[in-house]
Amino acid sequence: MSMDIDAPIALPQRPLVSQDNATILCCNCGAPIDGTLSAGALCYDCIKLTVDISEGIQREATLHVCRDCERWLQPPAHWISAAPESRELLALCLRKLRGLSKVRIIDASFIWTEPHSRRVKVKITIQQEAFQGTILQQTFEVEYVVAYHQCPDCAKSFTANTWRAVVQVRQKVPHKRTFLYLEQLILKHSAHKDTINIKEVKDGLDFYYSQRNHAEKFVDFLTSVAPVKSKKSQELISVDIHTSTKSYKFSFSVELVPICKDDLVALPIKLAKQIGNISPLTLCYRVGTSINLIDPSTLQTADVSTPIYWRSPFTSLADVQELVEFIVMDIEPVGPEKGRFVLAEATVARSSDLGVNDKTYYTRTHLGGVLHPGDTVMGYHLTGTNFNNPQFEALEESKAHASSIPDVVLVKKFYARKKKSKSRNWRLKRMNKEEGEMVPRKQDQEKMERDFEMFLRDVEEDVELRNTVALYKQRAEKNRMEGVETASMAETEETGGEEVPGIDMSELLDEFEELDVKDDE
């Protein structure tokens, strides 16, 4: 039996009909929109006009700044340092706004305002989902009013007896040159930023602090830059018998070595043998973390470290106030050189003896690289001078060293300057110090001015000293009558055909906080 199989029949295909999305009109402006995605039957433009995603965010706020230390208050009681239009100040401005945590911040920037207006404007861009699937972005401005508010640290500095620690820095020398140099080191490294008061007293300075650890940090800084010794004491102020809480005031006594640059030093003979068998009669050419000494007759150098000095302390034989002016009659380099020192044999005469007698002195000096016949040089006149110094007396009684004591020890070249010298093209910053209870006498003020002028000359003449301090460009004084800068700025002063050492402009720093931007008209 056979079966009949039907042939395949092709069925007609039905055309595919595209499913279009529902399109509706905006209820506000009549623009066609996708009805499946739109919320509230509003187009995107109408949503931006009717929905305010910045609602609830402050448009005005107040910033508190301390006018003394220029720090800003970060609530509740934290004070931060922030420069104008800095990231830190922008973060502080954003934290001050309530409701900003509910939105997403896209961008924030400052809008320029007049510095004297005491206003800070910030432009903020935010994003937020207005409806399901609809994200809005909006930009608005916030204005801050800058109000002055004194911080607790500055309030303490203007109130007596609020300090908790004091560092008393002392040096028993008849001049202030060491403290002037120490002041420049403190300013360069900003080591005084935590002080609440600085008082100038006899033979030194007092630094007051509100916390003990700030004083200890400052003592560590002094130990790292100068040969000092320190002692600590504490005084009990109050005690709570219920909680056994005690309050102390701490005092740190820091004493600097009484030896300065250009001092003549007579070492103990035993110590001179221990530090390299150097001649006991030496010259101090630098004071850093240790005392650097040089023998002018041989150019041998030695360092006296801080522990070695305080183990057997000694004083200088003569200081810069006892320098005598000499005239170089003849000088001849011997040959050995050591850095900037060149050994030479010189014949000198006292300036006061010229025209009176023909007495001259022969000596060996380390200044062979800068002295020439006819130059004026400052030195110590040892012949006929009585010194009340036990180390020098032992040196005179010693058979090995008595014959090596020279008649004259030359220290540095003297540059003749005019009494009314021209203004320098550089200047140094000074710390704001409070004077002691007793008003300084006129003689003391003149002595302080002489010490400061001598320190400025040392900075000009000594390159090594100049590299350790921060020098700033002198402000150009404008002539009010003519409206032009006066020509009082000079790098060098020419006297008698010889130039006084000057400082190159490339070594000077600008004070950026005082720079102002002016539009070209």
Side-chain angles (χ1 to χ4, degrees):
M1 185 178 66
S2 62
M3 296 180 63
D4 295 334
I5 300 176
D6 296 337
I9 301 174
L11 297 177
Q13 294 183 355
R14 298 178 61 186
L16 297 177
V17 180
S18 60
Q19 298 292 333
D20 296 332
N21 295 332
T23 302
I24 63 175
L25 300 178
C26 175
C27 66
N28 192 14
C29 64
I33 57 176
D34 188 357
T36 60
L37 299 178
S38 62
L42 292 172
C43 64
Y44 184 73
D45 294 334
C46 293
I47 291 177
K48 290 196 298 182
L49 294 175
T50 57
V51 179
D52 184 13
I53 62 174
S54 65
E55 185 179 2
I57 301 177
Q58 292 177 272
R59 300 302 175 94
E60 294 182 354
T62 304
L63 295 175
H64 295 281
V65 62
C66 178
R67 69 171 68 194
D68 297 314
C69 61
E70 297 181 354
R71 293 189 299 172
W72 301 82
L73 174 62
Q74 180 177 325
H78 185 57
W79 292 83
I80 63 173
S81 299
E85 299 190 4
S86 61
R87 294 170 60 92
E88 293 80 8
L89 184 58
L90 183 60
L92 176 62
C93 293
L94 296 179
R95 292 193 193 100
K96 292 282 291 185
L97 297 181
R98 292 192 302 268
L100 202 59
S101 59
K102 300 178 182 179
V103 297
R104 180 184 179 187
I105 302 175
I106 300 300
D107 187 25
S109 60
F110 286 100
I111 300 176
W112 186 85
T113 55
E114 292 287 347
H116 57 78
S117 64
R118 292 171 58 186
R119 296 292 187 274
V120 176
K121 289 185 178 181
V122 179
K123 182 181 179 181
I124 305 175
T125 302
I126 60 174
Q127 277 186 358
Q128 190 180 25
E129 188 176 12
F131 300 103
Q132 185 177 2
T134 305
I135 297 177
L136 294 183
Q137 180 171 312
Q138 187 175 346
T139 302
F140 60 96
E141 297 179 4
V142 180
E143 182 177 342
Y144 297 87
V145 178
V146 179
Y148 291 125
H149 183 77
Q150 193 176 44
C151 66
D153 294 337
C154 292
K156 285 183 179 181
S157 66
F158 290 102
T159 307
N161 302 323
T162 57
W163 54 273
R164 281 291 174 266
V166 59
V167 180
Q168 300 171 338
V169 186
R170 299 289 185 270
Q171 186 186 34
K172 296 178 176 61
V173 291
H175 56 81
K176 295 285 185 180
R177 292 169 59 209
T178 304
F179 279 100
L180 292 173
Y181 175 62
L182 186 63
E183 177 184 6
Q184 297 304 316
L185 291 179
I186 293 172
L187 289 171
K188 183 177 181 179
H189 297 88
S190 300
H192 66 301
K193 61 181 181 180
D194 297 322
T195 58
I196 60 176
N197 192 17
I198 302 175
K199 184 178 290 186
E200 189 171 4
V201 295
K202 184 182 178 181
D203 295 335
L205 296 170
D206 288 346
F207 297 85
Y208 294 90
Y209 294 89
S210 59
Q211 298 180 21
R212 171 187 172 185
N213 58 341
H214 291 164
E216 292 177 342
K217 182 180 178 182
F218 184 70
V219 173
D220 293 339
F221 169 78
L222 294 178
T223 306
S224 64
V225 298
V228 300
K229 73 171 182 178
S230 60
K231 292 189 296 183
K232 173 187 169 185
S233 62
Q234 58 187 20
E235 178 186 0
L236 180 64
I237 301 175
S238 61
V239 59
D240 189 347
I241 60 174
H242 301 288
T243 60
S244 297
T245 303
K246 300 177 182 179
S247 178
Y248 289 94
K249 277 189 174 182
F250 300 91
S251 298
F252 297 87
S253 176
V254 179
E255 183 178 356
L256 279 73
V257 294
I259 296 176
C260 305
K261 181 177 175 290
D262 298 334
D263 283 0
L264 185 64
V265 179
L267 295 172
I269 298 177
K270 182 179 179 181
L271 177 61
K273 294 180 179 179
Q274 292 176 352
I275 61 176
N277 199 21
I278 192 174
S279 173
L281 192 63
T282 58
L283 197 65
C284 177
Y285 68 94
R286 184 175 58 231
V287 177
T289 54
S290 60
I291 305 173
N292 304 121
L293 304 173
I294 185 172
D295 181 8
S297 60
T298 61
L299 297 188
Q300 183 182 357
T301 58
D303 297 341
V304 180
S305 61
T306 305
I308 294 178
Y309 175 82
W310 292 113
R311 197 178 303 147
S312 56
F314 53 88
T315 59
S316 60
L317 184 63
D319 55 30
V320 291
Q321 296 182 347
E322 301 174 32
L323 289 173
V324 180
E325 185 176 325
F326 292 90
I327 300 297
V328 179
M329 310 302 293
D330 185 22
I331 186 167
E332 182 179 355
V334 177
E337 297 183 8
K338 196 169 188 178
R340 58 190 175 97
F341 302 125
V342 179
L343 186 63
E345 296 178 349
T347 302
V348 298
R350 291 180 59 177
S351 299
S352 58
D353 291 344
L354 294 180
V356 179
N357 55 51
D358 298 332
K359 192 171 185 180
T360 59
Y361 302 94
Y362 171 81
T363 184
R364 294 169 70 95
T365 179
H366 61 295
L367 304 176
V370 294
L371 292 182
H372 304 88
D375 288 348
T376 305
V377 62
M378 306 299 292
Y380 295 107
H381 191 206
L382 304 184
T383 302
T385 305
N386 294 324
F387 295 103
N388 186 14
N389 187 284
Q391 286 82 18
F392 188 72
E393 292 176 358
L395 193 63
E396 290 180 325
E397 296 173 358
S398 173
K399 296 181 180 179
H401 301 287
S403 59
S404 62
I405 299 177
D407 297 331
V408 173
V409 178
L410 303 182
V411 178
K412 60 181 179 179
K413 185 177 180 179
F414 178 73
Y415 297 91
R417 289 175 168 86
K418 297 179 181 179
K419 293 184 177 179
K420 294 184 178 180
S421 60
K422 299 179 182 179
S423 299
R424 293 178 170 90
N425 66 332
W426 57 276
R427 65 187 183 89
L428 297 172
K429 283 188 175 181
R430 302 297 303 274
M431 287 191 303
N432 294 326
K433 299 185 289 291
E434 178 185 344
E435 295 182 353
E437 298 178 356
M438 296 184 63
V439 179
R441 298 175 301 174
K442 184 178 180 181
Q443 297 87 340
D444 296 337
Q445 292 180 351
E446 293 176 353
K447 182 176 177 298
M448 292 173 62
E449 292 177 0
R450 288 195 304 268
D451 291 342
F452 186 65
E453 177 63 24
M454 188 179 298
F455 176 71
L456 294 181
R457 295 183 180 183
D458 288 342
V459 173
E460 286 179 337
E461 299 170 7
D462 193 344
V463 180
E464 294 182 359
L465 176 64
R466 190 188 313 162
N467 294 333
T468 58
V469 299
L471 305 178
Y472 295 89
K473 294 180 180 178
Q474 182 67 271
R475 298 170 184 169
E477 300 178 358
K478 293 188 177 181
N479 193 332
R480 297 183 180 179
M481 299 297 294
E482 302 178 0
V484 296
E485 294 184 1
T486 59
S488 61
M489 303 303 169
E491 293 186 15
T492 58
E493 302 168 6
E494 297 184 359
T495 55
E498 185 178 4
E499 289 188 353
V500 175
I503 298 178
D504 191 75
M505 292 294 291
S506 60
E507 302 180 31
L508 305 181
L509 303 175
D510 286 312
E511 292 189 81
F512 292 101
E513 65 272 11
E514 295 183 359
L515 294 181
D516 51 355
V517 179
K518 296 182 180 180
D519 296 331
D520 295 334
E521 297 181 356

